[in-house]
Amino acid sequence: MSKAITPIKGMPDIVPEQMPYWHHAEAIVRQVLEEYGYDELRTPMLEKTALFKRSIGDETDIVAKEMFTFESRSGISLSLRPEATASCVRAGISRGLLHNQRRRLYYYGPMFRYEQPQEGRYRQFYQFGAEAYGLAGPDVDAEMILMLARIWSRLQLSGLRLKINCLGSDATRERFTAALQEHFRQHEQQLDPDSQRRLDTNPLRILDSKASQMQALIDAAPQIQNYLGSGERAHFDGILQRLETAGIAYDVEPRLVRGLDYYTGMVFEWQTDQLGAQNAVCGGGRYDHLVRQLGGRDTPAVGWAMGMERLIALLALGNDTIATAVPGVYLVSVGDRAARAGLGLLEKVRDALPGVRMIAHGGAGSFKSQLRAADRSGARFAVIIGDDEVDAKTAGIKSLRGGTQTSVAWDDLVPALQKHIAAET
Ligand code: HAM
């Protein structure tokens, strides 16, 4: 036997046993997004590297260290998308989706970041995301958060906590950044190597450092709240008031700066303490300059993305009821004549009962071994046919839970199965 090829590090397969959770979560997130008037946009997984450099920022970890980048045959630098906000804006501009109008968009698909893989952190992971264009807020900022709260409640998830902060305009951040630089420069020897580098390139990100020797220094750093102009303060307060009116609890978290450079105002994360170190399930914020920065017109924008692996991990905690799919029917057919008649019969049942899972045994085997396979398949009923049944044009229906068996004429098989299924659901 030749050596098996191993999977790529950090790129998980999602195996069939996990899929009921994925399908359940995907259906609910999509449903809520559609209910709020968001339209799906699908963009390619590959984009020009320049797009991510110009939007996420050269100095961010994502662009500096985490992109899967390679050269195309024609010599253009391409990257697998590490996130999709930049792609949305690129598509919005190049396809005329944002021209002079309000637009609510959502997307779903895999993203790629060359991070150190661990539980909840992968090199390929799925994100659902929503982006709203042309709406200056604060109503739409609050809408984004209300929409997420609705998703959590429909998924019956509790324990997610909203952390929110305001990063202010470019001018505000410039003043704040200068104050941060002054503060951290006074203690330069205490900074970890990443923070030393960021002191000149991106001082805001020092606030995000997890290095333990930095924590006291970060706590003592100036806070953005004290640098906000009155308009920014009013916008942020407007969001908080709307959340209060809607009964959404939040923590204002002055150290929340996020790992992407395009944010301009409110930023937020939904965090959990049930998943260990990878505590952010969803993050987003306002990015009012990105459309212009990428060659479009000035367009206010706000959005978020959620990590589906983390959401599924939360959903699966102490919840095994989602795994039960639609009741299934398993065809047990002993002998060649029965197998042939059974397949035809099953097609007729499929015509009449769309949505019900029907599995044909597919191959020879004794009655006993086929029944064992029926049990293992998770089906609730077996439809049983042998030579005698073919002659009499009947089939047995056996409940795989209760063990009772009845015999019905082929013509009555559909209503009989319908009755059984209705009784079990
Ligand atoms: P982000 O915070 O980089 O934001 O990612 C959003 C979410 O994706 C995170 O909260 C996390 O749940 C998940 N995630 C990120 N990296 C990984 C990973 N390596 N493995 C598993 N899950 C991960 C963005 O991507 C922005 N585009 C959000 C946004 C949209 N801002 C405005 N619009």
Side-chain angles (χ1 to χ4, degrees):
M1 235 197 319
S2 54
K3 208 167 161 225
I5 294 175
T6 53
I8 303 173
K9 192 173 166 189
M11 301 218 171
D13 298 298
I14 304 163
V15 297
E17 288 66 32
Q18 296 173 316
M19 284 328 284
Y21 293 99
W22 284 77
H23 289 160
H24 178 70
E26 286 164 355
I28 285 184
V29 177
R30 194 180 288 280
Q31 188 184 51
V32 173
L33 285 162
E34 299 271 350
E35 283 172 11
Y36 278 77
Y38 286 71
D39 299 316
E40 184 172 6
L41 170 70
R42 291 192 192 182
T43 62
M45 281 180 234
L46 211 52
E47 297 272 4
K48 291 178 182 160
T49 304
L51 172 67
F52 302 119
K53 288 192 169 207
R54 267 170 66 182
S55 53
I56 300 170
D58 270 331
E59 267 307 313
T60 58
D61 281 353
I62 297 179
V63 169
K65 309 188 211 162
E66 296 172 359
M67 289 214 292
F68 285 87
T69 298
F70 59 93
E71 211 171 83
S72 76
R73 285 169 194 257
S74 54
I76 303 170
S77 178
L78 302 177
S79 295
L80 284 169
R81 60 180 183 196
E83 58 110 53
T85 306
S87 308
C88 258
V89 173
R90 198 258 321 127
I93 297 167
S94 57
R95 309 284 171 200
L97 303 177
L98 310 181
H99 197 65
N100 264 344
Q101 57 179 330
R102 299 161 170 217
R103 193 89 209 200
R104 288 175 164 90
L105 298 172
Y106 78 87
Y107 53 83
Y108 180 52
M111 309 293 155
F112 304 85
R113 294 184 193 175
Y114 200 90
E115 296 195 72
Q116 215 33 57
Q118 50 179 276
E119 196 61 43
R121 193 204 275 170
Y122 308 101
R123 290 183 176 172
Q124 175 179 309
F125 57 96
Y126 281 77
Q127 279 186 348
F128 254 110
E131 316 285 351
Y133 297 100
L135 296 150
D139 288 330
V140 72
D141 307 59
E143 171 183 296
M144 288 283 170
I145 291 169
L146 295 180
M147 187 157 64
L148 287 159
R150 187 171 299 279
I151 290 172
W152 313 146
S153 86
R154 258 193 223 169
L155 288 169
Q156 297 180 337
L157 293 178
S158 54
L160 277 159
R161 189 81 200 164
L162 175 64
K163 309 282 173 183
I164 190 165
N165 191 20
C166 182
L167 299 181
S169 66
D170 291 350
T172 301
R173 267 205 315 284
E174 242 167 65
R175 283 187 298 127
F176 178 56
T177 301
L180 277 182
Q181 272 171 324
E182 199 184 318
H183 169 75
F184 287 119
R185 226 179 271 293
Q186 283 166 9
H187 309 274
E188 210 166 333
Q189 321 78 299
Q190 282 167 259
L191 302 185
D192 64 317
D194 263 349
S195 300
Q196 275 176 4
R197 190 170 45 82
R198 286 179 174 143
L199 195 50
D200 291 314
T201 57
N202 198 346
L204 208 60
R205 295 281 295 154
I206 300 180
L207 296 178
D208 208 23
S209 167
K210 303 284 181 288
S212 53
Q213 85 266 23
M214 299 276 303
Q215 298 313 305
L217 203 54
I218 291 172
D219 285 341
Q223 295 204 350
I224 185 89
Q225 309 299 324
N226 301 326
Y227 291 78
L228 297 179
S230 57
E232 292 163 345
R233 184 77 248 172
H235 184 111
F236 190 51
D237 285 343
I239 300 169
L240 300 183
Q241 281 155 9
R242 282 161 179 74
L243 296 180
E244 280 158 31
T245 308
I248 309 270
Y250 61 81
D251 302 318
V252 173
E253 175 59 72
R255 285 167 59 162
L256 183 73
V257 289
R258 311 264 305 124
L260 307 99
D261 280 355
Y262 48 62
Y263 293 111
T264 52
M266 178 275 297
V267 290
F268 67 91
E269 280 184 3
W270 288 87
Q271 298 178 357
T272 172
D273 54 13
Q274 293 175 288
L275 294 180
Q278 306 311 314
N279 64 352
V281 175
C282 174
R286 188 157 270 286
Y287 54 100
D288 287 340
H289 299 326
L290 188 58
V291 180
R292 193 185 54 206
Q293 216 171 299
L294 293 179
R297 294 186 182 191
D298 242 340
T299 308
V302 62
W304 52 258
M306 66 170 74
M308 287 302 278
E309 287 75 5
R310 297 183 192 174
L311 186 72
I312 301 296
L314 269 187
L315 198 59
L317 283 178
N319 188 349
D320 49 14
T321 52
I322 290 165
T324 52
V326 196
V329 175
Y330 195 100
L331 174 70
V332 170
S333 51
V334 186
D336 197 43
R337 279 175 67 224
R340 271 183 284 137
L343 277 191
L345 201 57
L346 212 54
E347 286 304 307
K348 289 211 176 78
V349 181
R350 286 189 175 112
D351 287 344
L353 301 178
V356 178
R357 196 174 160 91
M358 312 237 182
I359 307 167
H361 181 72
S366 69
F367 175 68
K368 247 183 150 175
S369 71
Q370 290 199 32
L371 258 193
R372 266 203 306 274
D375 251 339
R376 276 199 306 271
S377 76
R380 303 271 183 89
F381 310 102
V383 169
I384 299 167
I385 304 178
D387 281 346
D388 291 349
E389 281 78 9
V390 175
D391 291 338
K393 293 198 173 3
T394 60
I397 301 179
K398 182 176 166 62
S399 162
L400 293 167
R401 302 277 161 91
T404 53
Q405 185 168 334
T406 50
S407 176
V408 292
W410 286 356
D411 285 346
D412 297 331
L413 186 56
V414 167
L417 278 175
Q418 257 167 336
K419 233 164 98 189
H420 275 78
I421 289 168
E424 283 254 337
T425 46

